[in-house]
């Protein structure tokens, strides 16, 4: 092949015609959008050698590109002097002549064969090109490549047989050679050959190629050996997961090679025209050349994101390689990549960030960074194979994944183990958590008593005791349980078990219109919806993410627990656990129904599937688990110290003002009731009472629920304030709140609460309005529109269900 002219070679004032655009997917996409598509004419307005940027006119608009970017665009010159050989008999314009040449050049595809040693590259090369290269164990001293040219369906294919490599790092001359070729020669298609008999190892190189975001096709070679082994691979499903065609071949006999060529041609056509459909072997269409991101786990992804944002400050680096790939390479301390960045203005920042993360990972995992990243790559590979590869059961197969996975993700043993772990988690949370909870409770009581004792009676003391301490106290008692729950979840995540749980739950979750990875947010949702919504980030597809985020608030978080505990203690003393369980299950049921409804009505189209990584099992370190616990609990604690505090004070103030002057000298408890009735809160409560009536609730419950919009912890604390068990009343009427609720009567002497109305209140608390913090998080994660949807939908659902249950209950009972 002679040197191909690029846009960077065209001098100022000259014109040329575009043949094709090379480079990684994001770059190609942007350039194509600017109008640099095949057959377009470009005029060079200013191209000073060695000077950036270069200016062009294309389709009537001015565009400037970097020199390095222009080098990625193949062109044919339109200057007459560049076509001395133009046939005297050719009766068209020079443009027509060049158009024919562009047509011819665009039919030329350069394909680089990349794969492990001995996976059959040369065999495939020989078969396709009809050449006779030496096949067999590579014992070469020289690192070299061979190019063979042949024709297929009107296309000219230049096949490049590159040396075999296990990886694309820089340990061997072969690796450096292949990398250099891919970096600088811009093949149109990378043909990744893998040995189907040893996929786990072969796919390692594939993950590195995926990171580079170049157009790819996979030849699944030695398919005969796979078939002989009795193992099964759903290669169409694998292709969907990976985002490029996967074609089975037997290179030695030539079986399937035509299909590989077919896939190469169609992928080439799709990438150069920016279209995305491909037909698999069963004739179904799917998004073939979708670039996937291998998910390296929350910690590594955060590191990549930060380094990436620093890289993006350099326009000239962005175009050349996929920035995600560069970021990962920098964290890996890859010398070649570091050299590429040496001249950048913020080189020291980039280096500092990459080094900081590298050291952090090396310390956390006690391994060098290359092993850390390769472990994460194998997590992706095991996940991809776990979904597509079935080993022949008669054959003992230990090399696939871990022995533990055979138990933990087993269809029969997996679920009981999962339920056991879930049970243990809730046991630890609620049983062990009860002790510190009691201490905090006692501490709070002591604090109130002491405040009343040392401070003069008056408004400030009332504010502190009844507002701040009572309100905060009602929430602070849950801190130990929340922390324990998050600790359990973090330990399960850090050991790698959570990924197995997600894997196991995948089929079941799919039936509900969700994804296996939605399981983790759901579990976290039992603690608090805010970190649960954040945890939905691991779901790659917008559809799955939105559905998970919208349904998570129906999972009963621990903030709702105090209300349930209060009401079951008061009205269902003999069936406490049963009623609680029913409430939790109803929440789950509504979440599932919502998800099914939305997937029927709004998200009809199924998104592309993605790999669920199975990261290596690790013994969790206390330090890591504590860090991760803190990450989850931080947001929750911040909320307690702000929203709940403010809400408590507001509720207290609304109930405290305007003051009733006690001229008639009524006794203390009647005065407290009178005060509440006449306060702003009382007036507001009576105003909104009609809304709560159908559910069997009166105004004080209504107020508590209204206050609970800020944070559901507030409901129980407001009820404590509103149903008059403040310090003064408790003195002469020492009934605990539950007893008080059971006995309190309205003006006609009927009980205010019944078992039915208490149950309906629990239903409403379970389902209505996600708290403000959750909504703010929902907005941050999936947008304002969905936030409004979530707020309105959940409240309507809650009201309809609670009212219906109450009304039907009244008729029946
Ligand atoms: P390279 O190192 O990647 O170039 O691999 P070669 O083409 O030299 O092949 C390595 C060995 O694998 C040779 O002995 C081939 O005969 C054998 N081989 C190649 N393709 C196949 C195949 O599809 N099935 C089987 N069973 N063996 C193959
Ligand atoms: Mg070879």
């Amino acid at each position: 092949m002679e040197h191909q002219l690029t846009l960077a070679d065209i001098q100022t004032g000259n014109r040329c015609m575009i043949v094709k655009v090379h480079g990684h997917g994001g770059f190609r996409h942007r350039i194509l959008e600017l109008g640099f598509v095949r057959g377009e004419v470009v005029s060079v307005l200013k191209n000073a050698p060695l000077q950036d940027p270069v200016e062009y006119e294309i389709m009537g608009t001015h565009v400037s590109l970097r020199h390095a970017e222009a080098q990625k665009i193949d062109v044919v010159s339109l200057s007459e002097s560049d076509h001395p050989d133009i046939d005297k008999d050719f009766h068209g314009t020079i443009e027509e002549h060049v158009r024919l040449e562009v047509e011819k050049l665009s039919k030329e595809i350069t394909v680089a064969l990349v794969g492990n040693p001995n996976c059959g590259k040369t065999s495939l090369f020989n078969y396709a090109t009809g050449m006779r290269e030496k096949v067999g164990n590579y014992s070469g001293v020289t690192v070299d490549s061979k190019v063979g040219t042949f024709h297929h369906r009107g296309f000219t294919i230049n096949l490049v047989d590159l040396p075999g490599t296990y990886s694309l790092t820089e340990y061997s001359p072969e690796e450096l050679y292949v990398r250099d070729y891919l970096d600088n020669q811009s093949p149109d298609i990378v043909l990744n050959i893998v040995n189907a008999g040893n996929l786990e190892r072969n796919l390692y190189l594939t993950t590195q190629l995926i990171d580079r975001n170049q157009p790819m096709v996979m030849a699944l070679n030695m398919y005969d050996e796979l078939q002989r082994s009795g193992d099964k691979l759903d290669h169409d499903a694998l292709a969907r997961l990976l985002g490029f065609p996967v074609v089975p071949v037997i290179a030695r006999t030539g079986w399937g090679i035509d299909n590989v060529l077919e896939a190469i041609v169609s992928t080439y056509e799709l990438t150069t025209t920016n279209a995305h459909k491909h037909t698999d072997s069963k004739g179904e269409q799917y998004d073939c050349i979708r670039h996937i991101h291998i998910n390296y786990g929350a910690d590594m992804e955060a590191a990549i994101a930060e380094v990436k944002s620093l890289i993006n400050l350099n326009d000239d680096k962005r175009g050349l390689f996929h920035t995600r790939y560069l970021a990962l390479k920098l964290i890996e301390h890859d010398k070649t990549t570091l050299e590429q960045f040496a001249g950048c203005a913020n080189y020291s920042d980039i280096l500092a960030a990459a080094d900081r993360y590298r050291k952090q990972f090396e310390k956390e995992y006690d391994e060098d960074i290359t092993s850390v990243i390769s472990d994460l790559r194998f997590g992706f590979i095991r996940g991809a194979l776990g979904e597509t590869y079935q080993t022949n059961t008669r054959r003992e197969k230990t090399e696939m994944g871990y022995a533990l996975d055979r138990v933990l993700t087993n269809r029969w043993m997996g679920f009981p183990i999962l339920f056991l772990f879930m049970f243990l988690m809730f046991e630890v949370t609620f049983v062990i958590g009860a002790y510190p909870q009691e201490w905090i409770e006692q501490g709070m009581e002591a604090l109130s008593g002491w405040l009343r004792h040392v401070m003069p009676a008056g408004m400030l003391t009332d504010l502190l005791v009844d507002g701040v301490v009572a309100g905060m106290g009602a929430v602070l008692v849950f801190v130990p349980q929340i922390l324990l729950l998050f600790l359990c979840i973090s330990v399960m995540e850090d050991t790698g078990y959570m990924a197995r749980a997600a894997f196991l739950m995948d089929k079941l979750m799919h039936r509900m219109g969700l994804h296996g990875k939605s399981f983790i947010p759901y579990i976290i949702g039992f603690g608090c919806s805010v970190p649960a919504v954040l945890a939905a980030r691991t779901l790659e597809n917008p559809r799955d993410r939105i559905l998970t985020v919208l349904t998570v608030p129906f999972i009963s978080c621990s903030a709702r627990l105090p209300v349930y505990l209060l009401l079951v203690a008061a009205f269902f003393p003999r069936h406490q656990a049963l009623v609680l369980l029913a409430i939790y299950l109803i929440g789950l049921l509504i979440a599932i129904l919502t998800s099914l409804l939305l997937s029927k009505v709004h998200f009809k189209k199924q998104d592309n599937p993605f790999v669920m990584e199975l990261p290596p099992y690790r013994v969790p370190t206390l330090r890591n688990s504590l860090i991760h616990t803190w990450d989850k609990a931080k947001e929750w604690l911040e909320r307690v110290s702000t929203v709940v505090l403010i809400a408590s004070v507001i509720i207290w103030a609304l109930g405290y003002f305007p003051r009733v002057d006690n001229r008639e000298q009524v006794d203390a408890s009647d005065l407290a009731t009178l005060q509440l009735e006449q306060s702003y809160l009382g007036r507001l409560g009576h105003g909104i009472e009609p809304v709560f009536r159908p559910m069997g609730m009166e105004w004080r419950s209504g107020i508590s629920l209204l206050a609970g919009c800020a944070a559901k912890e507030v409901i129980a604390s407001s009820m404590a304030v509103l149903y008059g068990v403040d310090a003064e009343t408790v003195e002469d009427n020492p009934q605990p709140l539950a007893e008080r609720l059971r006995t309190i009567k309205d003006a006609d002497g009927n009980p205010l609460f019944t078992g039915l109305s208490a149950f309906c209140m629990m239903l409403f608390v379970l389902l209505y309005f996600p708290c403000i913090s959750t909504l703010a998080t929902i907005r941050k994660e999936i947008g304002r529109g969905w936030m409004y949807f979530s707020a309105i939908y959940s409240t309507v659902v809650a009201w309809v269900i609670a009212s219906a249950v109450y009304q039907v209950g009244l008729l029946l009972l």
Side-chain angles (χ1 to χ4, degrees):
M1 282 180 296
E2 73 273 34
H3 172 67
Q4 169 62 49
L5 207 60
T6 72
L7 190 52
D9 301 323
I10 307 294
Q11 300 307 304
T12 305
N14 289 351
R15 296 184 325 134
C16 60
M17 195 179 279
I18 308 281
V19 180
K20 65 181 135 188
V21 179
H22 295 280
H24 71 82
F27 168 76
R28 211 173 40 244
H29 189 77
R30 202 170 70 234
I31 295 294
L32 291 177
E33 270 185 343
L34 284 173
F36 291 85
V37 285
R38 181 187 305 163
E40 273 311 321
V41 174
V42 185
S43 308
V44 182
L45 299 178
K46 184 170 73 69
N47 180 9
L50 306 175
Q51 202 183 316
D52 270 336
V54 198
E55 280 175 35
Y56 301 101
E57 186 185 314
I58 185 162
M59 307 204 302
T61 57
H62 291 199
V63 175
S64 65
L65 294 182
R66 301 247 158 210
H67 201 78
E69 291 174 324
Q71 279 179 332
K72 298 266 173 202
I73 303 174
D74 287 357
V75 297
V76 177
S77 167
L78 277 163
S79 305
E80 233 155 305
S81 57
D82 286 327
H83 300 275
D85 53 340
I86 196 164
D87 203 332
K88 291 279 172 306
D89 306 329
F90 188 79
H91 294 297
T93 60
I94 182 152
E95 203 164 313
E96 281 163 343
H97 173 79
V98 167
R99 197 167 291 282
L100 287 177
E101 197 170 327
V102 164
E103 204 56 40
K104 205 177 104 225
L105 280 174
S106 70
K107 293 261 180 212
E108 196 169 317
I109 312 175
T110 305
V111 178
L113 276 171
V114 181
N116 290 6
N118 286 316
C119 66
K121 290 179 300 302
T122 306
S123 304
L124 190 140
F125 177 86
N126 284 346
Y127 197 93
T129 58
M131 288 166 84
R132 286 270 155 267
E133 278 303 317
K134 193 168 117 261
V135 174
N137 281 338
Y138 182 76
S139 56
V141 206
T142 53
V143 177
D144 202 3
S145 61
K146 271 266 164 331
V147 184
T149 301
F150 60 97
H151 300 282
H152 177 81
R153 273 218 299 134
F155 285 88
T156 302
I157 297 178
N158 302 309
L159 195 59
V160 185
D161 188 12
L162 291 170
T165 58
Y166 292 108
S167 126
L168 288 182
T169 42
E170 38 194 7
Y171 289 127
S172 65
E174 286 85 359
E175 291 183 4
L176 283 170
Y177 185 94
V178 173
R179 259 183 86 165
D180 183 65
Y181 182 86
L182 294 179
D183 284 356
N184 299 316
Q185 303 300 313
S186 305
D188 296 303
I189 301 283
V190 173
L191 177 58
N192 178 208
I193 304 201
V194 298
N195 174 351
N198 187 0
L199 271 176
E200 196 173 4
R201 179 165 192 191
N202 276 250
L203 288 179
Y204 185 75
L205 179 62
T206 309
T207 61
Q208 294 182 323
L209 292 170
I210 289 174
D211 284 339
R212 297 176 58 95
N213 191 4
Q214 287 176 304
M216 253 172 100
V217 170
M218 181 184 285
L220 194 61
N221 193 29
M222 313 211 177
Y223 202 66
D224 51 338
E225 292 192 356
L226 180 80
Q227 286 173 320
R228 209 170 313 130
S229 73
D231 290 359
K232 286 210 164 53
L233 174 71
D234 184 349
H235 53 84
D236 284 333
L238 185 66
R240 278 186 170 78
L241 288 173
L242 297 179
F244 48 79
V246 175
V247 188
V249 291
I250 303 169
R252 200 157 52 181
T253 64
W255 179 85
I257 287 181
D258 265 353
N259 296 338
V260 173
L261 300 181
E262 208 52 39
I264 286 171
V265 166
S266 66
T267 304
Y268 171 77
E269 296 226 276
L270 291 170
T271 42
T272 49
T273 55
N274 237 15
H276 294 280
K277 287 281 180 261
H278 181 81
T279 311
D280 71 12
S281 62
K282 295 190 191 80
E284 281 176 49
Q285 284 222 324
Y286 68 100
D287 294 344
C288 130
I289 40 165
R290 168 171 71 96
H291 170 59
I292 63 161
H293 283 181
I294 292 172
N295 185 348
Y296 292 102
D299 292 346
M300 185 62 78
E301 289 297 327
I304 292 174
E306 190 180 324
V307 176
K308 211 172 112 172
S309 70
L310 290 171
I311 294 174
N312 277 336
L313 297 177
N314 302 284
D315 281 346
D316 54 328
K317 292 286 176 283
R318 222 156 28 126
L320 296 186
F321 298 101
H322 195 41
T323 43
R324 190 179 158 78
Y325 162 76
L326 290 176
L328 198 61
K329 280 283 170 205
L330 287 170
I331 294 170
E332 219 173 14
H333 207 72
D334 175 81
K335 295 217 172 47
T336 315
T337 314
L338 284 169
E339 275 160 27
Q340 283 166 343
F341 277 84
C344 291
N346 64 346
Y347 178 64
S348 57
D349 291 352
I350 294 178
L351 192 65
D355 276 355
R356 179 162 47 83
Y357 281 116
R358 179 167 51 88
K359 295 203 176 99
Q360 182 188 319
F361 285 115
E362 293 189 337
K363 181 156 175 251
E364 253 183 52
Y365 296 109
D366 199 22
E367 273 176 336
D368 68 87
I369 189 73
T370 332
S371 321
V372 174
I373 293 178
S374 74
D375 273 352
L376 296 169
R377 290 187 188 283
F378 278 116
F380 172 87
I381 294 168
R382 268 190 300 274
L385 292 181
E387 285 172 62
T388 54
Y389 200 97
Q390 259 192 316
T391 43
N392 179 356
T393 43
R394 275 174 300 154
R395 200 156 50 96
E396 194 57 30
K397 223 169 173 220
T398 43
E399 67 265 33
M400 284 276 298
Y402 293 102
L404 255 180
D405 276 342
R406 286 213 301 271
V407 179
L408 293 181
T409 60
N410 180 284
R411 242 182 319 166
W412 306 112
M413 286 180 275
F415 279 106
I417 295 173
L418 174 63
F419 287 122
L420 179 73
F421 279 139
M422 294 292 115
F423 175 76
L424 282 179
M425 180 177 80
F426 284 107
E427 276 293 298
V428 166
T429 305
F430 292 113
V431 176
I432 299 181
Y435 295 102
Q437 182 170 26
E438 209 163 295
W439 305 330
I440 293 179
E441 227 161 83
Q442 286 163 356
M444 283 296 180
E445 260 165 51
L447 181 64
S448 307
W450 179 78
L451 281 174
R452 285 244 178 259
H453 184 70
V454 297
M455 291 183 62
M459 196 174 88
L460 189 62
T461 311
D462 289 346
L463 168 67
L464 277 180
V465 175
D466 299 333
V468 178
V469 176
M472 293 286 286
V475 178
L476 282 180
V477 292
F478 290 100
V479 170
Q481 294 187 342
I482 288 273
L483 290 180
L484 276 173
L485 181 67
F486 287 152
L487 182 66
C488 291
I489 290 166
S490 299
V491 169
M492 282 201 271
E493 278 180 351
D494 293 350
T495 52
Y497 180 71
M498 212 49 138
R500 273 75 191 177
F503 197 85
L504 199 62
M505 292 296 289
D506 193 48
K507 273 219 174 67
L508 203 66
M509 299 297 271
H510 269 299
R511 296 246 173 85
M512 312 174 196
L514 290 163
H515 190 272
K517 278 191 182 175
S518 317
F519 182 65
I520 298 168
Y522 270 39
I523 292 297
I524 298 177
F526 284 112
C528 175
S529 305
V530 173
V533 168
L534 292 173
R537 275 184 199 171
T538 52
L539 289 139
E540 272 101 293
N541 295 331
R543 173 193 179 279
D544 294 328
R545 195 163 57 236
I546 292 172
L547 275 180
T548 307
V549 166
L550 290 178
T551 50
V552 147
F554 291 122
I555 301 300
S556 194
C557 69
S558 59
R560 285 165 248 195
L561 196 58
V563 194
Y564 304 153
L565 290 180
L566 177 67
L567 294 172
V568 292
F571 298 98
F572 306 97
R574 263 173 298 159
H575 306 287
Q576 295 201 14
L578 203 64
V579 174
L580 257 184
L581 185 68
I583 289 288
Y584 275 88
L585 289 181
I586 290 171
L588 204 57
L589 184 73
I590 300 293
I592 293 168
L593 289 178
T594 299
S595 153
L596 285 177
L597 183 81
L598 278 175
S599 27
K600 280 246 157 25
V601 176
H602 188 79
F603 297 103
K604 281 181 215 142
K605 193 182 148 287
Q606 192 71 34
D607 269 335
N608 295 309
F610 56 87
V611 171
M612 285 197 284
E613 307 78 29
L614 290 175
Y617 287 103
R618 286 183 197 282
V619 178
T621 63
L622 187 66
R623 187 176 163 275
N624 284 352
S625 296
L626 288 180
I627 289 173
H628 293 145
T629 304
W630 177 243
D631 279 346
K632 293 191 188 70
K634 202 168 52 191
E635 212 130 348
W636 186 80
L637 286 169
E638 273 166 16
R639 186 167 58 121
V640 171
S641 52
T642 54
V643 183
V644 175
L645 179 62
I646 293 166
S648 302
V649 171
I650 291 174
I651 294 275
W652 169 86
L654 286 175
Y656 199 78
F657 298 108
R659 297 300 289 163
V660 177
D661 58 274
N662 190 8
R663 248 171 267 155
E664 285 135 55
Q665 297 288 318
V666 296
D667 68 48
S669 93
D670 284 348
L671 177 67
T673 316
L674 194 66
Q675 167 63 41
L676 202 53
E677 292 260 344
Q678 298 198 357
S679 66
Y680 296 117
L681 199 60
R683 293 174 210 180
L684 182 65
H686 285 293
I688 59 168
E689 194 171 6
V691 179
F692 294 96
R693 267 278 156 236
M695 298 181 283
M697 283 180 250
E698 54 108 38
W699 67 276
R700 277 170 286 198
S701 305
I703 287 288
S704 306
L705 292 171
L706 210 58
C709 291
K712 295 199 173 174
E713 295 91 335
V714 175
I715 302 172
S717 61
S718 313
M719 286 176 76
V721 176
L722 292 172
Y723 286 106
V725 274
D726 58 329
E728 285 146 80
T729 32
V730 166
E731 268 166 37
D732 41 83
N733 183 17
Q735 288 170 314
L737 187 53
E739 188 60 25
R740 170 107 180 140
L741 290 181
R742 195 161 42 205
T743 52
I744 191 168
K745 304 246 182 332
D746 65 10
D748 309 327
N750 297 317
L752 269 185
F753 282 91
T754 59
L756 179 61
S757 75
F759 185 73
C760 291
M761 182 162 185
M762 285 194 261
L763 278 181
F764 192 78
V765 169
L766 166 73
L767 301 173
Y768 89 118
F769 201 84
C771 69
I772 298 281
S773 322
T774 303
L775 283 176
T777 316
I778 291 178
R779 193 183 91 171
K780 205 167 70 194
E781 295 296 302
I782 58 172
R784 187 187 292 268
W786 285 118
M787 174 192 76
Y788 286 125
F789 173 82
S790 171
I792 296 168
Y793 172 79
S794 57
T795 310
V796 170
V797 165
W799 190 86
V800 170
I801 291 180
S803 302
V805 170
Y806 186 70
Q807 298 303 330
V808 172
L810 278 187
L811 289 177
L812 295 180
L813 295 176

